[in-house]
Amino acid sequence: MTYVVTETCIRCKYTDCVEVCPVDAFREGPNFLVIDPDECIDCTLCVSECPVEAIYAEDDLPAHQEQFVALNAELAKIWPPIIERKEPLPDAEEWRSIKNKIQHLGK
């Protein structure tokens, strides 16, 4: 089992999770983070660090977020690692409670 970043992260990109990851499994895109399933060791440390609750265990994903398993795996192959915390996107607070943001995902 691996952990998955879901739609809630889109256009927010809080990076608190990155700081606690012991294996540097996070990858960074323009407005979203993903977890590399080949690197994730299922430690759960990142889950509680996400201020928008965007990270789930693969087995606990809400049904409407299941597409993010494949999306994390796909984008982890092409996006660079992120190993240090950065400031969230400037308008993250405005986007944190918006639902159905997949069309805003920057690749």
Side-chain angles (χ1 to χ4, degrees):
M1 179 178 67
T2 188
Y3 282 78
V4 179
V5 181
T6 62
E7 187 171 36
T8 309
C9 181
I10 297 171
R11 301 275 318 244
C12 291
K13 201 168 87 169
Y14 290 96
T15 58
D16 306 61
C17 52
V18 170
E19 278 191 319
V20 298
C21 183
V23 294
D24 300 332
F26 283 88
R27 305 295 181 258
E28 179 183 25
N31 66 358
F32 184 60
L33 299 174
V34 296
I35 295 173
D36 184 334
D38 295 331
E39 297 292 327
C40 181
I41 59 170
D42 309 326
C43 70
T44 76
L45 294 173
C46 60
V47 176
S48 63
E49 293 299 316
C50 181
V52 294
E53 300 177 354
I55 303 172
Y56 289 85
E58 185 176 355
D59 293 343
D60 296 333
L61 273 172
H64 68 283
Q65 297 290 310
E66 289 178 356
Q67 68 186 3
F68 283 88
V69 173
L71 192 59
N72 273 240
E74 170 193 336
L75 296 175
K77 289 179 174 40
I78 57 174
W79 284 354
I82 176 173
I83 58 172
E84 294 181 347
R85 186 181 179 283
K86 296 179 179 181
E87 289 299 313
L89 295 176
D91 56 352
E93 282 300 312
E94 297 169 35
W95 283 92
R96 76 182 293 155
S97 61
I98 294 175
K99 306 289 184 211
N100 303 314
K101 301 188 283 186
I102 188 71
Q103 70 275 14
H104 298 287
L105 175 62
K107 292 186 182 180

